[in-house]
Coordinates of all heavy atoms in Angstrom, one line a residue:
L17 N 0.3 -0.7 -30.3 CA -0.8 0.1 -30.0 C -2.0 -0.8 -29.6 O -2.3 -1.8 -30.3 CB -1.2 1.0 -31.1 CG -2.4 2.0 -31.0 CD1 -1.9 2.9 -29.8 CD2 -2.7 2.6 -32.2
R18 N -2.7 -0.6 -28.4 CA -3.8 -1.3 -28.0 C -5.1 -0.4 -27.6 O -4.7 0.7 -27.2 CB -3.5 -2.2 -26.7 CG -2.5 -3.1 -26.9 CD -2.2 -4.0 -25.7 NE -1.2 -5.0 -25.7 CZ -0.7 -5.7 -24.9 NH1 -1.2 -5.6 -23.6 NH2 0.2 -6.5 -25.0
G19 N -6.1 -0.9 -27.6 CA -7.3 -0.1 -27.3 C -8.1 -0.9 -26.2 O -8.0 -2.1 -26.1
T20 N -8.8 -0.1 -25.4 CA -9.6 -0.9 -24.3 C -11.0 -0.1 -24.2 O -11.1 1.3 -24.5 CB -8.8 -0.6 -22.9 OG1 -8.7 0.8 -22.5 CG2 -7.6 -1.4 -22.9
L21 N -11.9 -0.8 -23.8 CA -13.3 -0.3 -23.5 C -13.6 -0.8 -22.0 O -13.1 -1.8 -21.6 CB -14.4 -0.8 -24.4 CG -14.4 -0.2 -25.8 CD1 -15.4 -1.2 -26.7 CD2 -14.6 1.1 -25.9
F22 N -14.1 0.1 -21.2 CA -14.1 -0.3 -19.7 C -15.5 0.4 -19.2 O -16.0 1.4 -19.6 CB -13.1 0.0 -19.0 CG -12.6 1.5 -19.0 CD1 -13.2 2.3 -17.9 CD2 -11.7 2.1 -19.8 CE1 -13.0 3.7 -17.9 CE2 -11.4 3.4 -19.7 CZ -12.0 4.2 -18.9
F23 N -15.9 -0.4 -18.2 CA -17.0 0.1 -17.2 C -16.6 -0.3 -15.9 O -16.3 -1.5 -15.6 CB -18.4 -0.5 -17.7 CG -19.5 -0.3 -16.7 CD1 -20.1 1.1 -16.8 CD2 -19.9 -1.1 -15.7 CE1 -21.0 1.4 -15.8 CE2 -20.8 -0.8 -14.8 CZ -21.3 0.6 -14.9
D24 N -16.7 0.6 -14.9 CA -16.3 0.3 -13.5 C -17.5 0.8 -12.5 O -18.1 1.8 -12.8 CB -15.0 1.1 -13.1 CG -13.8 0.8 -14.0 OD1 -13.6 -0.5 -14.1 OD2 -13.0 1.7 -14.5
I25 N -17.6 0.0 -11.6 CA -18.6 0.4 -10.5 C -18.1 -0.2 -9.1 O -17.5 -1.1 -9.1 CB -20.0 -0.2 -10.8 CG1 -21.0 0.4 -9.8 CG2 -19.9 -1.7 -10.7 CD1 -22.5 0.1 -10.2
A26 N -18.4 0.8 -8.1 CA -17.8 0.3 -6.8 C -18.6 1.1 -5.8 O -19.3 2.0 -6.0 CB -16.4 0.9 -6.6
S27 N -18.4 0.6 -4.5 CA -19.1 1.3 -3.4 C -18.4 0.8 -2.0 O -17.5 -0.1 -2.1 CB -20.6 0.8 -3.3 OG -21.3 1.4 -2.3
W28 N -18.6 1.5 -1.0 CA -18.1 1.1 0.2 C -19.0 1.5 1.3 O -19.8 2.4 1.2 CB -16.6 1.7 0.5 CG -16.6 3.2 0.5 CD1 -16.8 4.0 1.6 CD2 -16.6 4.0 -0.6 NE1 -16.9 5.4 1.2 CE2 -16.7 5.4 -0.2 CE3 -16.4 3.9 -2.1 CZ2 -16.5 6.5 -1.0 CZ3 -16.4 4.9 -2.8 CH2 -16.3 6.2 -2.3
K29 N -19.0 0.8 2.4 CA -19.8 1.1 3.6 C -18.9 1.3 4.9 O -18.2 0.4 5.1 CB -20.9 0.1 3.8 CG -21.8 0.4 5.0 CD -22.8 -0.8 5.2 CE -23.9 -0.5 6.3 NZ -23.3 0.0 7.4
L30 N -19.2 2.3 5.6 CA -18.6 2.5 7.0 C -19.5 2.0 8.1 O -20.7 2.4 8.0 CB -18.0 3.7 7.2 CG -17.0 4.4 6.1 CD1 -16.8 5.8 6.3 CD2 -15.7 3.7 6.2
K31 N -19.0 1.2 9.0 CA -19.8 0.8 10.2 C -20.3 2.0 10.8 O -19.7 2.9 11.2 CB -19.0 0.0 11.2 CG -19.7 -0.6 12.1 CD -18.8 -1.6 13.1 CE -19.7 -2.2 14.3 NZ -18.9 -3.0 15.0
G32 N -21.6 2.0 11.1 CA -22.2 3.0 11.8 C -22.9 4.2 11.0 O -23.5 5.0 11.5
Y33 N -22.7 4.2 9.7 CA -23.2 5.3 8.8 C -24.3 4.7 8.0 O -24.2 3.5 7.5 CB -22.1 5.9 7.9 CG -21.0 6.7 8.6 CD1 -19.9 6.0 9.2 CD2 -21.1 8.0 8.9 CE1 -19.0 6.8 10.0 CE2 -20.4 8.8 9.6 CZ -19.2 8.2 10.0 OH -18.3 9.0 10.7
P34 N -25.4 5.5 7.6 CA -26.3 5.0 6.8 C -25.9 4.7 5.5 O -24.9 5.4 4.9 CB -27.3 6.1 6.7 CG -26.6 7.4 7.2 CD -25.5 6.9 8.1
Y35 N -26.4 3.7 4.7 CA -26.0 3.2 3.5 C -27.1 2.8 2.5 O -27.9 2.1 3.0 CB -24.9 2.2 3.6 CG -24.3 1.6 2.5 CD1 -23.4 2.0 1.7 CD2 -25.0 0.4 1.9 CE1 -22.9 1.5 0.5 CE2 -24.5 -0.3 0.7 CZ -23.5 0.3 0.1 OH -23.0 -0.2 -1.1
K36 N -26.9 3.4 1.3 CA -27.9 2.9 0.3 C -27.2 2.9 -1.1 O -26.8 3.9 -1.4 CB -29.1 3.8 0.1 CG -30.2 3.3 -0.7 CD -31.5 4.2 -0.7 CE -32.5 3.7 -1.5 NZ -33.7 4.4 -1.6
F37 N -26.9 1.7 -1.6 CA -26.2 1.6 -2.8 C -26.9 2.2 -4.1 O -26.2 3.1 -4.8 CB -25.9 0.1 -3.2 CG -25.2 -0.1 -4.4 CD1 -23.8 0.4 -4.5 CD2 -25.7 -0.7 -5.4 CE1 -23.0 0.1 -5.6 CE2 -25.0 -0.8 -6.6 CZ -23.6 -0.4 -6.7
I38 N -28.1 1.9 -4.2 CA -28.7 2.4 -5.5 C -30.3 2.7 -5.2 O -30.8 2.2 -4.1 CB -28.8 1.3 -6.5 CG1 -29.0 1.8 -7.9 CG2 -29.6 0.0 -6.3 CD1 -28.7 0.8 -9.0
S39 N -30.8 3.7 -5.9 CA -32.3 3.9 -5.8 C -33.1 3.6 -7.1 O -32.5 4.0 -8.1 CB -32.4 5.5 -5.4 OG -33.7 5.9 -5.5
T40 N -34.2 3.1 -7.0 CA -35.0 2.8 -8.2 C -36.1 3.7 -8.4 O -36.9 3.4 -9.2 CB -35.4 1.4 -8.2 OG1 -36.1 1.1 -7.1 CG2 -34.2 0.4 -8.3
E41 N -36.2 4.6 -7.5 CA -37.4 5.7 -7.7 C -37.0 6.7 -8.9 O -35.9 7.1 -9.0 CB -37.5 6.4 -6.4 CG -37.8 5.7 -5.1 CD -37.7 6.6 -3.9 OE1 -37.6 7.9 -4.0 OE2 -37.7 5.9 -2.8
D42 N -37.9 6.8 -9.6 CA -37.8 7.6 -10.9 C -36.5 7.1 -11.9 O -35.7 7.9 -12.2 CB -37.5 9.2 -10.6 CG -38.7 9.7 -9.9 OD1 -39.9 9.3 -10.2 OD2 -38.6 10.5 -9.0
G43 N -36.4 6.0 -11.9 CA -35.3 5.3 -12.7 C -34.2 4.9 -11.9 O -34.3 5.1 -10.5
I44 N -33.1 4.4 -12.4 CA -32.0 3.8 -11.6 C -31.0 5.0 -11.4 O -30.6 5.7 -12.4 CB -31.4 2.6 -12.2 CG1 -32.4 1.4 -12.5 CG2 -30.1 2.2 -11.6 CD1 -31.8 0.4 -13.3
Q45 N -30.6 5.1 -10.2 CA -29.6 6.1 -9.8 C -28.6 5.6 -8.7 O -29.2 5.1 -7.7 CB -30.4 7.5 -9.4 CG -29.1 8.6 -9.2 CD -29.8 9.9 -8.9 OE1 -31.0 10.0 -8.8 NE2 -28.9 10.9 -8.7
L46 N -27.3 5.7 -8.7 CA -26.6 5.3 -7.6 C -26.5 6.3 -6.6 O -26.6 7.6 -6.8 CB -25.1 5.4 -8.1 CG -24.7 4.1 -9.2 CD1 -23.3 4.3 -9.7 CD2 -25.0 2.8 -8.5
I47 N -26.7 6.0 -5.3 CA -26.7 6.9 -4.1 C -25.2 6.9 -3.6 O -24.6 7.8 -3.5 CB -27.8 6.5 -3.1 CG1 -29.1 6.5 -3.8 CG2 -27.7 7.4 -1.9 CD1 -29.6 7.7 -4.5
D48 N -24.8 5.7 -2.9 CA -23.6 5.7 -2.3 C -22.5 4.9 -3.2 O -21.4 4.6 -2.8 CB -23.6 5.0 -1.0 CG -24.2 5.8 0.1 OD1 -24.0 7.1 0.1 OD2 -25.1 5.3 0.9
G49 N -23.0 4.6 -4.4 CA -22.1 3.9 -5.3 C -21.5 4.9 -6.4 O -22.0 6.0 -6.4
I50 N -20.4 4.5 -6.9 CA -19.8 5.4 -8.0 C -19.5 4.5 -9.3 O -19.3 3.3 -9.1 CB -18.5 6.0 -7.6 CG1 -17.4 5.0 -7.0 CG2 -18.7 7.0 -6.4 CD1 -16.2 5.5 -6.7
A51 N -19.6 5.2 -10.4 CA -19.4 4.2 -11.6 C -18.8 5.3 -12.7 O -18.8 6.5 -12.7 CB -20.7 3.8 -12.1
S52 N -18.1 4.6 -13.5 CA -17.7 5.4 -14.7 C -17.4 4.4 -16.0 O -17.5 3.2 -15.8 CB -16.2 6.0 -14.5 OG -15.3 4.9 -14.2
Y53 N -17.3 4.9 -17.1 CA -17.2 4.1 -18.5 C -16.3 5.0 -19.3 O -16.1 6.2 -19.2 CB -18.4 3.9 -19.0 CG -19.2 4.9 -19.5 CD1 -19.1 5.4 -20.8 CD2 -20.1 5.7 -18.7 CE1 -19.8 6.5 -21.3 CE2 -20.8 6.8 -19.2 CZ -20.7 7.2 -20.4 OH -21.4 8.2 -20.9
G54 N -15.6 4.3 -20.3 CA -14.9 5.0 -21.2 C -14.1 4.1 -22.1 O -14.3 3.1 -22.3
W55 N -13.1 4.7 -22.7 CA -12.2 4.1 -23.6 C -10.7 4.5 -23.5 O -10.6 5.6 -22.8 CB -12.6 4.1 -25.0 CG -12.6 5.5 -25.5 CD1 -13.4 6.4 -25.4 CD2 -11.6 6.0 -26.5 NE1 -13.1 7.7 -25.9 CE2 -11.9 7.5 -26.6 CE3 -10.5 5.7 -26.9 CZ2 -11.1 8.4 -27.4 CZ3 -9.6 6.3 -27.7 CH2 -10.1 7.9 -28.0
G56 N -9.7 3.7 -23.9 CA -8.4 4.2 -23.8 C -7.4 3.6 -24.8 O -7.9 2.7 -25.5
L57 N -6.3 4.1 -24.8 CA -5.2 3.7 -25.7 C -3.9 3.3 -24.9 O -3.8 3.9 -23.7 CB -4.8 4.8 -26.7 CG -6.0 5.1 -27.7 CD1 -5.4 6.3 -28.5 CD2 -6.3 4.0 -28.7
Q58 N -3.3 2.4 -25.4 CA -2.0 2.0 -24.8 C -0.9 1.8 -25.8 O -1.1 1.2 -26.7 CB -2.1 0.7 -23.9 CG -0.8 0.1 -23.3 CD -1.0 -1.3 -22.7 OE1 -2.0 -1.8 -22.9 NE2 -0.1 -1.6 -21.9
L59 N 0.3 2.3 -25.6 CA 1.4 2.5 -26.4 C 2.6 2.1 -25.5 O 2.7 2.5 -24.4 CB 1.5 3.5 -27.4 CG 1.5 4.9 -26.7 CD1 2.9 5.5 -26.7 CD2 0.6 5.8 -27.4
F60 N 3.5 1.7 -26.3 CA 4.9 1.5 -25.6 C 5.9 2.4 -26.0 O 6.1 2.7 -27.1 CB 5.4 0.0 -25.7 CG 4.6 -1.0 -25.0 CD1 3.4 -1.5 -25.7 CD2 4.9 -1.5 -23.8 CE1 2.6 -2.5 -25.0 CE2 4.2 -2.5 -23.1 CZ 3.0 -2.9 -23.8
L61 N 6.7 2.9 -25.0 CA 7.7 3.9 -25.1 C 9.0 3.5 -24.3 O 8.8 3.5 -23.1 CB 7.4 5.3 -24.9 CG 8.4 6.4 -25.1 CD1 8.8 6.5 -26.7 CD2 7.9 7.7 -24.6
F62 N 10.1 3.0 -25.0 CA 11.3 2.6 -24.2 C 10.9 1.4 -23.4 O 11.5 1.2 -22.3 CB 12.0 3.6 -23.4 CG 12.2 4.9 -24.3 CD1 11.8 6.1 -23.9 CD2 13.2 4.7 -25.3 CE1 12.1 7.2 -24.8 CE2 13.6 5.9 -26.1 CZ 13.1 7.0 -25.8
G63 N 9.9 0.5 -23.8 CA 9.6 -0.6 -23.0 C 8.6 -0.6 -22.0 O 8.2 -1.5 -21.3
Y64 N 8.1 0.7 -21.7 CA 7.2 1.0 -20.7 C 5.8 1.4 -21.4 O 5.8 2.1 -22.3 CB 7.6 2.1 -19.7 CG 8.8 1.9 -18.8 CD1 10.1 2.2 -19.3 CD2 8.7 1.2 -17.8 CE1 11.2 1.8 -18.5 CE2 9.7 0.8 -16.9 CZ 10.9 1.2 -17.3 OH 12.0 0.9 -16.5
P65 N 4.8 0.9 -20.8 CA 3.4 1.0 -21.4 C 3.0 2.4 -20.9 O 3.0 2.8 -19.7 CB 2.5 0.0 -20.9 CG 3.2 -0.6 -19.5 CD 4.7 -0.3 -19.8
I66 N 2.4 3.2 -21.8 CA 1.8 4.5 -21.6 C 0.3 4.4 -21.8 O 0.0 3.9 -22.9 CB 2.4 5.6 -22.3 CG1 3.9 5.8 -22.1 CG2 1.7 6.9 -22.2 CD1 4.7 6.8 -22.9
H67 N -0.5 4.8 -20.8 CA -1.8 4.6 -21.1 C -2.5 6.0 -21.1 O -2.3 6.9 -20.3 CB -2.5 3.8 -19.8 CG -1.9 2.6 -19.5 ND1 -2.5 1.4 -20.0 CD2 -0.8 2.2 -18.9 CE1 -1.7 0.4 -19.6 NE2 -0.7 0.9 -19.0
I68 N -3.5 6.1 -22.0 CA -4.2 7.4 -22.1 C -5.7 7.0 -22.2 O -6.2 6.3 -22.9 CB -3.9 8.1 -23.4 CG1 -2.5 8.4 -23.5 CG2 -4.8 9.4 -23.5 CD1 -2.0 8.8 -24.9
D69 N -6.5 7.3 -21.0 CA -7.8 6.9 -20.8 C -8.7 8.2 -20.9 O -8.4 9.2 -20.4 CB -8.0 6.3 -19.4 CG -7.2 4.8 -19.3 OD1 -7.1 4.3 -20.4 OD2 -6.9 4.6 -18.2
F70 N -9.9 8.0 -21.5 CA -10.9 9.0 -21.7 C -12.2 8.5 -20.7 O -12.7 7.4 -21.2 CB -11.3 9.3 -23.1 CG -10.1 9.7 -23.9 CD1 -9.4 8.9 -24.6 CD2 -9.7 11.0 -23.7 CE1 -8.2 9.1 -25.3 CE2 -8.6 11.4 -24.6 CZ -7.9 10.5 -25.3
V71 N -12.4 9.0 -19.6 CA -13.3 8.6 -18.6 C -14.5 9.5 -18.5 O -14.4 10.7 -18.4 CB -12.7 8.4 -17.3 CG1 -13.6 7.8 -16.3 CG2 -11.4 7.6 -17.5
K72 N -15.7 9.0 -18.4 CA -17.0 9.7 -18.1 C -17.6 9.1 -16.8 O -18.0 7.9 -16.8 CB -18.0 9.6 -19.3 CG -17.6 10.3 -20.5 CD -18.6 10.5 -21.5 CE -19.5 11.5 -21.3 NZ -19.2 12.9 -21.6
P73 N -17.6 9.9 -15.7 CA -18.1 9.5 -14.4 C -19.8 9.4 -14.6 O -20.4 10.4 -15.4 CB -17.8 10.4 -13.5 CG -17.5 11.7 -14.1 CD -17.0 11.2 -15.5
T74 N -20.4 8.6 -13.9 CA -21.9 8.5 -14.0 C -22.5 8.0 -12.8 O -21.9 7.3 -12.0 CB -22.3 7.7 -15.3 OG1 -23.9 7.8 -15.4 CG2 -21.9 6.3 -15.1
D75 N -23.8 8.4 -12.5 CA -24.6 7.9 -11.5 C -25.8 7.2 -12.0 O -26.7 6.9 -11.3 CB -24.8 8.8 -10.3 CG -25.8 9.9 -10.7 OD1 -26.2 9.9 -12.0 OD2 -26.1 10.6 -10.0
F76 N -25.8 6.9 -13.4 CA -26.9 6.3 -14.1 C -28.0 7.2 -14.5 O -28.9 7.0 -15.2 CB -27.4 5.0 -13.6 CG -26.3 3.9 -13.4 CD1 -26.3 3.2 -12.3 CD2 -25.5 3.6 -14.5 CE1 -25.3 2.2 -12.1 CE2 -24.6 2.6 -14.4 CZ -24.5 2.0 -13.2
K77 N -28.0 8.5 -13.8 CA -29.2 9.5 -14.1 C -28.3 10.6 -14.9 O -28.9 11.2 -15.8 CB -29.7 9.8 -12.8 CG -30.9 10.7 -13.1 CD -31.7 10.8 -11.8 CE -33.1 11.4 -12.2 NZ -33.9 11.5 -11.1
Y78 N -27.3 10.9 -14.4 CA -26.4 12.1 -14.9 C -25.1 11.7 -15.2 O -24.5 10.8 -14.4 CB -26.3 13.3 -13.9 CG -27.7 13.8 -13.4 CD1 -28.1 13.5 -12.2 CD2 -28.4 14.6 -14.3 CE1 -29.4 14.1 -11.8 CE2 -29.7 15.1 -13.8 CZ -30.1 14.7 -12.7 OH -31.3 15.3 -12.3
T79 N -24.5 12.1 -16.3 CA -23.1 11.9 -16.7 C -22.2 13.1 -16.8 O -22.6 14.1 -17.2 CB -23.2 11.3 -18.1 OG1 -24.0 10.1 -18.1 CG2 -21.8 10.9 -18.6
G80 N -21.1 13.0 -16.1 CA -20.2 14.1 -16.0 C -19.3 14.3 -17.2 O -19.5 13.6 -18.3
S81 N -18.6 15.3 -17.4 CA -17.9 15.7 -18.5 C -16.6 14.7 -18.7 O -16.2 14.1 -17.7 CB -17.3 17.1 -18.4 OG -16.4 17.2 -17.3
T82 N -16.1 14.5 -19.8 CA -15.0 13.6 -20.1 C -13.7 14.1 -19.4 O -13.3 15.3 -19.5 CB -14.8 13.5 -21.6 OG1 -16.0 13.0 -22.1 CG2 -13.7 12.4 -21.8
R83 N -13.1 13.1 -18.8 CA -11.8 13.4 -18.1 C -10.8 12.6 -18.7 O -11.0 11.4 -19.1 CB -11.9 13.2 -16.6 CG -12.8 13.8 -15.8 CD -13.0 13.4 -14.4 NE -14.0 14.1 -13.7 CZ -14.5 13.8 -12.6 NH1 -14.0 12.8 -11.9 NH2 -15.5 14.5 -11.9
T84 N -9.6 13.2 -18.9 CA -8.4 12.4 -19.5 C -7.5 12.0 -18.5 O -6.9 12.9 -17.8 CB -7.9 13.3 -20.6 OG1 -8.8 13.7 -21.5 CG2 -6.7 12.5 -21.4
R85 N -7.1 10.7 -18.5 CA -6.0 10.3 -17.5 C -4.9 9.7 -18.3 O -5.2 8.9 -19.2 CB -6.7 9.3 -16.5 CG -7.9 9.6 -15.8 CD -7.4 10.6 -14.6 NE -8.5 11.0 -13.8 CZ -9.1 12.2 -13.7 NH1 -8.4 13.2 -14.4 NH2 -10.1 12.4 -12.9
I86 N -3.7 10.2 -17.9 CA -2.5 9.6 -18.5 C -1.6 9.0 -17.4 O -1.3 9.7 -16.3 CB -1.8 10.6 -19.3 CG1 -2.6 11.2 -20.5 CG2 -0.4 10.1 -19.9 CD1 -2.0 12.4 -21.1
W87 N -1.3 7.7 -17.6 CA -0.4 7.0 -16.6 C 0.5 6.1 -17.3 O 0.3 5.6 -18.3 CB -1.3 6.3 -15.5 CG -2.4 5.4 -16.0 CD1 -3.6 5.5 -16.6 CD2 -2.2 4.0 -15.9 NE1 -4.3 4.5 -16.9 CE2 -3.4 3.3 -16.3 CE3 -1.3 3.2 -15.4 CZ2 -3.5 2.0 -16.5 CZ3 -1.4 1.7 -15.4 CH2 -2.6 1.3 -16.0
I88 N 1.6 5.8 -16.6 CA 2.7 5.0 -17.1 C 2.9 3.8 -16.1 O 2.9 4.1 -14.9 CB 4.0 5.7 -17.2 CG1 3.8 6.8 -18.1 CG2 5.1 4.8 -17.7 CD1 5.2 7.8 -18.2
G89 N 2.8 2.7 -16.7 CA 2.8 1.4 -15.7 C 2.4 0.2 -16.4 O 1.6 0.2 -17.2
F90 N 2.7 -0.9 -15.7 CA 2.1 -2.2 -16.3 C 0.9 -2.6 -15.5 O 0.6 -2.1 -14.4 CB 3.3 -3.4 -15.9 CG 4.5 -3.2 -16.7 CD1 5.5 -2.6 -16.2 CD2 4.5 -3.6 -18.0 CE1 6.7 -2.4 -17.0 CE2 5.8 -3.5 -18.8 CZ 6.8 -2.9 -18.1
D91 N 0.1 -3.3 -16.3 CA -1.3 -3.8 -15.7 C -0.9 -5.0 -14.8 O -0.1 -5.7 -15.0 CB -2.2 -4.2 -16.8 CG -2.6 -3.1 -17.7 OD1 -2.7 -2.0 -17.3 OD2 -2.9 -3.5 -19.0
F92 N -2.0 -5.2 -13.8 CA -1.7 -6.2 -12.9 C -2.5 -7.5 -13.3 O -3.6 -7.2 -13.8 CB -2.0 -5.9 -11.5 CG -1.0 -4.9 -10.9 CD1 -1.3 -3.5 -10.9 CD2 0.1 -5.3 -10.4 CE1 -0.5 -2.7 -10.4 CE2 1.0 -4.4 -9.8 CZ 0.7 -3.1 -9.8

């Protein structure tokens, strides 16, 4: 049994489209960026790792509801 804590942030830009990663007006808020944080558990069943992650999406101003993700596979 293993536990994880994580924070992810990402963004992308397409050529020819307006882009603004973050805004600092009235505090910090992601505009074209996305982020999430959470925790998870990993256990092994018949030699395969099973991951159960509890994720909260955020833009640093608002936080969404918790989402549960279950996936089977090895980490890279």
Side-chain angles (χ1 to χ4, degrees):
L17 184 65
R18 295 180 182 177
T20 58
L21 294 174
F22 59 89
F23 174 79
D24 300 316
I25 190 167
S27 183
W28 61 91
K29 182 182 184 316
L30 297 174
K31 186 176 180 179
Y33 288 92
Y35 175 81
K36 187 173 183 181
F37 179 68
I38 199 166
S39 172
T40 56
E41 299 171 10
D42 298 327
I44 297 174
Q45 182 177 6
L46 294 174
I47 304 300
D48 290 322
I50 57 173
S52 64
Y53 64 93
W55 63 279
L57 297 172
Q58 177 185 10
L59 55 101
F60 287 87
L61 183 65
F62 304 116
Y64 290 98
I66 299 174
H67 305 265
I68 304 169
D69 295 331
F70 302 94
V71 182
K72 290 189 84 71
T74 185
D75 66 359
F76 299 132
K77 192 167 189 175
Y78 302 104
T79 300
S81 60
T82 302
R83 300 175 184 170
T84 304
R85 302 287 186 241
I86 300 172
W87 56 284
I88 300 171
F90 294 97
D91 295 330
F92 292 99

